[in-house]
Amino acid sequence: MNDKIPQGPYCAVFKSLTKKDFLSTINHHMLSFLGRDPQRAGSRDLYKALAYTIRDFLVERWIATQKGYYAKGKKRVYYLSLEFLIGRSLGNSLINLGFYDEMAGVLQEMGYDLEEIREEEDDAALGNGGLGRLAACFLDSLATLGIPAYGYGIRYEYGLFYQRIVDGFQMEYPDNWLRYGTPWEFERPQNLYPVKYYGRVQRYRNNKGELRTEWIETKEIMAMACDVLVPGFNNDNVINMRLWTAKASREIDLGSFNRGNYISAVQEKVQSETISKVLYPSDDIREGQELRLKQQYFFVAATFQDILRRHKKKHEGFDSFADEIAVQLNDTHPAIAIPEFMRILVDEESVPWDKAWQICVGTFGYTNHTLMPEALETWPVELLGRVLPRHLEIIYEINRRFLELVAARYPGRDDLLREMSIIEESPVKRVRMAYLAIVGSHSVNGVAELHTHLLKTRLFKNFHDFYPGRFNCKTNGITQRRWLLKCNPGLAGLITDTIGGEWVTNLDYLRNLEPYAEQAKFRQKWAKVKTENKKRLAALIKQECGVVVNPNTMFDVQVKRIHEYKRQLLNVLHVITLYHRIANGEDTDSPPRTVVFGGKAAPSYFKAKLIIKLINSVAEVINNDSRVGDRLKVAFIPNYGVSVAEKIFPASDLSEQISTAGTEASGTGNMKFSLNGALTIGTLDGANIEILEEVGAENIFIFGMTTEEVEAARQNPDHNAFTVYRDNPEVKRTLDSIGNGSFSRGDTALFAPIVEGLLNSNDPYLLLLDLEDYLRCQKEVGALYLDQPNWIRKSILNVARMGKFSSDRTIREYAREIWGVPVD
Ligand code: IMP
């Protein structure tokens, strides 16, 4: 037997390692880290021992990477995000180290299955959806491109809730992902910073007689760093995601303890530590709770102390700060960093205001993620002033100076002053965090072309007029390492065998697949991979939903957060329409479909949760109707998250991207589907438009109103969803069947809010106005699916033309155009 571990195509890391070394490392970790007898170890022990083994490799490379940054003195990038939706790390690390297949082989010889071992890892679900997953994809690209970058966030003890479906309803359970500990992090008790809250502001004169300000009588908690190492692909770069965990400032309050008040002493410790306890499960819903504000400030304050510590090691003063450091704010969640940095510079470092402001604006970039005004974050002045009194003062000062400039530019325009003020003068005064972020950053970017255009012309028009050039577009992307190479080994292997492996670090190489779309033999291989993936998903659906589905049917999939604007309900209306047609013998020529849903609803979002119930109720009726059989099946896969997604995208035929035009900022699920060979049915919204541009109109199914048409319809009091219902018998039959209890065992009250919402002409998401065109378009989809060679041809072309949607391209654009960081 060859004692050398076989080398993968990208492997540089394990060159000198023998199988014997490898086994003894695993055994060592099993014994000394886990205290387990290697001969009696189960797959969880093996998973952990394997993770520790890989972590050893990562940490050596991380130190070398960090030393390289110091040696080269390159500009550093700090990506601040309240969410990092990482998912699992074992498979990804093995892939990026170039050792996945080889490790699987070694484990097989030991009698273990790597796939099974990987299932032991809990997802790190430290994010809600697209925004958090984007941050995770960005870290992968930053590491792969060798950019000196750090992710900063919070190490939530409980990530996004675990979703179960009970009697068709979503039930939320705590996501206790740390219950067995996570082998991927390094706790850094030496990197501990105090974070202050409450207290009051005091002015005093220093010994030079200058008026100074200080923030006193505060309550303090401590932030401790936990580092998760993120390897680049095949390049020995390892970067750091530093997540903060809250610790009481003293283990227990000794004063209270000595007075015999043991319980209150312990209580203070518990309360301090709640700061990093749980991720807020909101998604495009405005949250305004004190704990959330404290979380935001907690991670920003700790992060800035860390940034400044590192800066001060090599630099005197702050003159070159913005040339040395770029800070990107992922949405407004970290925007309190702007007044925090000003407070540090002005109050603690005695930098004059104007100079401090120049440094501040030069340092920050802000990424906006939403088009919906109601999703923009604001904080009540009263709350912010109580928790962070000095920051509120600074925000007022920033606003005063900003409005002076506005007044000078537009004399007499009090309306503009009111509209652009960082302070909203509503009955409850609020701080508009998006405005603060725009004013305090040199760059404001949208996440798709349409989104950026709408920011400039609608949501932030006044600001775009005032700051020409500040707004720019960075269309989102996804990492092909996780979203093709790792999640779809069958397709990735076929592609690499056909055109070589360069696409893994340069996704534009996929273009070389185009000619193969015309070859019948290649198409057969392509179809075979898809069918195998569908068989695996069918097994998952059986296991998770108890529904038996046929892998030879079209897999029509919508997975994403459940939200009215994303219009899962529109999809349900199509499903019900199909059901009636099939059950009544009106449809004999459309291909059999398996319609798959997945996604979580915010626990407080009644309508979204009712939509989940409707999907499950409709599924129950259809799946049990013998007239239907395989012609139509519906499944709601519970607990949608990164790991479930990795199983769904490779098995999908049709990708549902059907939000109301002008509501979805970008979407990234749309890119993951296409990259795995699904065709898209979608509206002209978010990045769908750019997918259309890339793949060509003949390779995508577009329907529905444009953003302009949506706006016109909303402004037209005569537009009436009711007339669609009244005049289209098929639509009427569909809606009536929801209303009359056909899917709710005769209960007409359960889904009444849904039917009423649809027939109300104020329906903000205009479902019925798009429904007829959607039904038409779905017929086209069905017809094409029956022509399998053509369908597969288009599937290949979709993959071949996805080059633009690599997060490597996105990160290159951020680096060059926002951060001023050179990149190869
Ligand atoms: P930090 O940048 O201070 O957070 O340290 C991260 C890692 O970078 C350390 O564990 C060291 O390996 C390395 N490092 C820290 N300071 C220096 C330095 O001044 N020169 C070279 N490497 C350093």
Side-chain angles (χ1 to χ4, degrees):
M1 191 177 83
N2 179 5
D3 194 38
K4 276 268 182 232
I5 291 176
Q7 299 295 296
Y10 312 104
C11 180
V13 172
F14 294 82
K15 282 226 160 64
S16 56
L17 200 68
T18 64
K19 277 181 197 164
K20 211 165 129 211
D21 297 334
F22 173 68
L23 291 177
S24 78
T25 316
I26 290 189
N27 282 346
H28 162 73
H29 285 116
M30 200 83 91
L31 286 165
S32 71
F33 275 60
L34 304 171
R36 296 285 291 171
D37 173 357
Q39 287 178 339
R40 300 183 60 81
S43 28
R44 178 169 297 278
D45 302 310
L46 193 59
Y47 152 65
K48 279 193 146 185
L50 213 52
Y52 285 127
T53 303
I54 290 162
R55 202 180 66 162
D56 287 350
F57 286 102
L58 295 179
V59 74
E60 277 174 29
R61 276 153 191 82
W62 174 73
I63 290 172
T65 306
Q66 301 301 312
K67 285 189 169 156
Y69 295 164
Y70 280 97
K72 288 179 202 141
K74 287 216 287 191
K75 186 169 185 176
R76 293 173 195 250
V77 174
Y78 295 101
Y79 194 81
L80 271 56
S81 179
L82 211 52
E83 303 188 10
F84 286 95
L85 193 42
I86 294 289
R88 289 174 175 157
S89 291
L90 177 60
N92 201 244
S93 299
L94 284 170
I95 289 268
N96 278 13
L97 293 171
F99 205 66
Y100 190 93
D101 294 340
E102 292 69 23
M103 185 67 88
V106 169
L107 289 171
Q108 205 174 22
E109 281 184 29
M110 291 168 67
Y112 291 99
D113 177 0
L114 177 55
E115 290 291 307
E116 256 171 45
I117 290 167
R118 282 183 41 223
E119 290 296 320
E120 294 293 341
E121 182 171 359
D122 286 308
D123 270 37
L126 310 184
N128 275 283
L131 173 150
R133 185 53 232 176
L134 183 77
C137 282
F138 279 5
L139 291 186
D140 183 81
S141 288
L142 287 161
T144 297
L145 294 171
I147 295 174
Y150 303 75
Y152 275 97
I154 294 181
R155 178 188 180 272
Y156 301 105
E157 214 172 304
Y158 295 89
L160 188 58
F161 64 88
Y162 190 94
Q163 179 197 54
R164 286 206 178 93
I165 303 298
V166 179
D167 190 25
F169 289 99
Q170 166 177 298
M171 306 292 278
E172 300 100 24
Y173 296 85
D175 165 55
N176 193 1
W177 72 292
L178 292 171
R179 64 191 176 286
Y180 301 115
T182 170
W184 295 107
E185 70 182 14
F186 288 98
E187 287 193 359
R188 308 281 194 198
Q190 72 278 20
N191 288 94
L192 200 64
Y193 298 107
V195 177
K196 299 183 203 174
Y197 298 99
Y198 308 110
R200 65 186 180 86
V201 176
Q202 173 172 277
R203 315 257 177 247
Y204 67 99
R205 290 205 178 268
N206 65 9
N207 48 17
K208 291 187 205 146
E210 297 159 340
L211 194 61
R212 314 285 321 152
T213 304
E214 62 182 345
W215 181 18
I216 56 167
E217 295 168 13
T218 53
K219 281 205 161 200
E220 231 175 58
I221 63 164
M222 305 305 287
M224 185 182 85
C226 291
D227 289 347
V228 178
L229 308 187
V230 182
F233 180 80
N234 190 32
N235 65 358
D236 284 352
N237 275 330
V238 176
I239 64 168
N240 195 3
M241 176 172 67
R242 178 156 281 187
L243 303 179
W244 300 106
T245 183
K247 296 275 170 199
S249 57
R250 289 150 292 182
E251 255 314 284
I252 51 172
D253 180 335
L254 275 181
S256 302
F257 186 68
N258 291 338
R259 287 192 300 275
N261 201 350
Y262 176 73
I263 292 299
S264 94
V266 174
Q267 228 162 27
E268 190 187 312
K269 171 176 159 60
V270 171
Q271 269 171 12
S272 304
E273 294 179 359
T274 56
I275 297 264
S276 58
K277 221 19 142 212
V278 60
L279 167 78
Y280 270 84
S282 65
D283 183 61
D284 281 312
I285 297 182
R286 195 151 77 178
E287 290 279 353
Q289 292 169 23
E290 183 166 331
L291 180 62
R292 169 95 171 171
L293 176 64
K294 287 168 85 175
Q295 284 187 337
Q296 295 184 351
Y297 180 64
F298 168 74
F299 107 92
V300 156
T303 299
F304 263 76
Q305 290 180 70
D306 208 33
I307 293 174
L308 292 174
R309 170 190 63 81
R310 206 171 280 124
H311 178 75
K312 284 178 175 177
K313 274 200 254 181
K314 300 282 168 191
H315 301 91
E316 292 273 324
F318 297 90
D319 288 348
S320 64
F321 193 88
D323 300 324
E324 311 284 348
I325 284 166
V327 177
Q328 192 65 31
L329 306 174
N330 193 22
D331 210 308
T332 54
H333 314 148
I336 197 72
I338 292 168
E340 169 66 357
F341 191 31
M342 286 299 287
R343 185 189 69 78
I344 295 170
L345 290 175
V346 173
D347 294 355
E348 294 183 357
E349 304 286 348
S350 303
V351 179
W353 181 283
D354 286 331
K355 190 171 169 200
W357 184 243
Q358 198 188 354
I359 296 167
C360 184
V361 174
T363 301
F364 287 109
Y366 155 53
T367 305
N368 173 278
H369 284 275
T370 185
L371 278 165
M372 286 184 289
E374 67 271 22
L376 291 177
E377 210 172 28
T378 62
W379 289 109
V381 163
E382 178 280 323
L383 171 63
L384 210 146
R386 187 160 45 81
V387 178
L388 302 169
R390 178 59 180 148
H391 297 75
L392 182 64
E393 278 189 0
I394 291 172
I395 291 169
Y396 267 101
E397 181 60 13
I398 292 170
N399 197 37
R400 187 187 69 75
R401 289 167 180 250
F402 167 64
L403 292 181
E404 258 180 33
L405 298 176
V406 177
R409 176 92 65 92
Y410 307 109
R413 291 289 308 274
D414 286 357
D415 57 326
L416 268 188
L417 296 183
R418 214 174 20 259
E419 277 175 30
M420 295 176 77
S421 172
I422 294 169
I423 308 296
E424 182 183 291
E425 299 289 340
S426 46
V428 177
K429 276 196 198 182
R430 307 182 77 97
V431 181
R432 295 160 160 160
M433 298 306 276
Y435 292 6
L436 175 64
I438 295 170
V439 172
S441 305
H442 65 281
S443 159
V444 180
N445 75 283
V447 289
E449 293 286 354
L450 174 68
H451 172 227
T452 309
H453 170 74
L454 294 173
L455 290 182
K456 287 178 181 175
T457 55
R458 311 279 197 284
L459 201 59
F460 300 138
K461 180 180 183 314
N462 293 331
F463 288 90
H464 174 54
D465 292 344
F466 189 75
Y467 294 122
R470 185 165 291 194
F471 285 75
N472 62 87
C473 173
K474 299 286 166 279
T475 297
N476 281 347
I478 56 173
T479 166
Q480 64 265 37
R481 269 80 61 186
R482 185 176 288 262
W483 295 112
L484 179 54
L485 183 63
K486 168 167 178 287
C487 79
N488 198 345
L491 196 66
L494 176 60
I495 293 171
T496 300
D497 287 348
T498 309
I499 61 166
E502 285 88 343
W503 61 271
V504 178
T505 46
N506 184 349
L507 201 61
D508 290 327
Y509 267 81
L510 289 178
R511 280 270 169 189
N512 296 325
L513 277 174
E514 282 196 17
Y516 295 91
E518 308 307 326
Q519 295 183 8
K521 245 198 167 147
F522 184 75
R523 288 201 298 266
Q524 277 161 14
K525 288 187 195 166
W526 192 269
K528 189 160 178 275
V529 169
K530 182 65 82 181
T531 304
E532 290 304 314
N533 292 340
K534 286 166 76 173
K535 282 183 192 162
R536 272 192 287 275
L537 183 59
L540 182 83
I541 291 172
K542 181 159 182 242
Q543 180 194 314
E544 295 292 324
C545 318
V547 179
V548 176
V549 304
N550 181 347
N552 296 319
T553 58
M554 179 206 299
F555 279 17
D556 169 353
V557 185
Q558 187 171 21
V559 285
K560 48 181 78 241
R561 285 300 287 257
I562 311 291
H563 205 295
E564 286 165 279
Y565 82 81
K566 296 178 188 279
R567 301 202 296 192
Q568 282 89 356
L569 187 51
L570 188 63
N571 191 345
V572 176
L573 296 179
H574 171 243
V575 169
I576 297 174
T577 306
L578 270 185
Y579 169 57
H580 288 311
R581 286 180 194 160
I582 294 167
N584 293 314
E586 297 159 14
D587 179 315
T588 47
D589 58 358
S590 71
R593 287 196 197 221
T594 298
V595 184
V596 176
F597 291 88
K600 295 178 183 178
S604 59
Y605 192 172
F606 165 77
K607 204 69 179 285
K609 291 174 92 167
L610 192 58
I611 290 169
I612 293 179
K613 171 64 178 166
L614 177 65
I615 294 169
N616 285 304
S617 300
V618 167
E620 190 186 344
V621 170
I622 294 179
N623 296 344
N624 293 304
D625 189 328
S626 59
R627 295 171 297 176
V628 177
D630 274 359
R631 298 288 313 280
L632 186 60
K633 284 273 181 285
V634 183
F636 187 97
I637 300 180
N639 203 39
Y640 179 66
V642 176
S643 292
V644 177
E646 287 175 29
K647 297 177 176 129
I648 292 177
F649 292 122
S652 299
D653 293 307
L654 185 66
S655 154
E656 299 270 355
Q657 306 300 333
I658 58 179
S659 50
T660 316
T663 61
E664 186 74 270
S666 164
T668 47
N670 45 6
M671 303 167 189
K672 293 165 198 164
F673 275 109
S674 281
L675 186 62
N676 284 277
L679 303 194
T680 303
I681 180 164
T683 46
L684 289 171
D685 200 20
N688 296 352
I689 297 175
E690 288 156 78
I691 293 176
L692 159 71
E693 285 164 5
E694 293 298 305
V695 303
E698 66 286 6
N699 298 311
I700 188 168
F701 299 95
I702 297 293
F703 73 95
M705 290 180 282
T706 60
T707 306
E708 290 74 24
E709 288 164 348
V710 166
E711 267 174 14
R714 279 181 180 150
Q715 276 158 18
N716 175 6
D718 295 334
H719 103 66
N720 197 341
F722 189 80
T723 54
V724 179
Y725 165 80
R726 188 192 59 201
D727 298 343
N728 184 326
E730 201 166 38
V731 172
K732 184 168 188 308
R733 179 170 68 179
T734 296
L735 262 63
D736 287 348
S737 67
I738 301 174
N740 70 17
S742 299
F743 301 107
S744 42
R745 298 172 194 161
D747 179 351
T748 53
L750 180 61
F751 297 125
I754 286 182
V755 180
E756 281 159 22
L758 287 171
L759 292 176
N760 178 346
S761 55
N762 292 325
D763 168 18
Y765 305 111
L766 306 168
L767 273 72
L768 290 193
L769 296 193
D770 266 349
L771 179 58
E772 288 169 308
D773 201 31
Y774 180 56
L775 296 176
R776 174 204 60 74
C777 196
Q778 284 284 19
K779 271 200 170 164
E780 262 182 49
V781 170
L784 183 74
Y785 194 76
L786 291 172
D787 177 3
Q788 272 295 299
N790 207 9
W791 180 279
I792 295 163
R793 214 183 122 260
K794 289 176 192 285
S795 163
I796 297 167
L797 290 178
N798 261 266
V799 175
R801 297 174 183 178
M802 276 300 110
K804 172 172 177 182
F805 302 103
S806 169
S807 48
D808 297 345
R809 187 268 313 149
T810 315
I811 285 297
R812 276 202 175 87
E813 290 178 2
Y814 273 88
R816 291 193 185 124
E817 296 162 26
I818 299 179
W819 304 330
V821 170
V823 57
D824 308 328

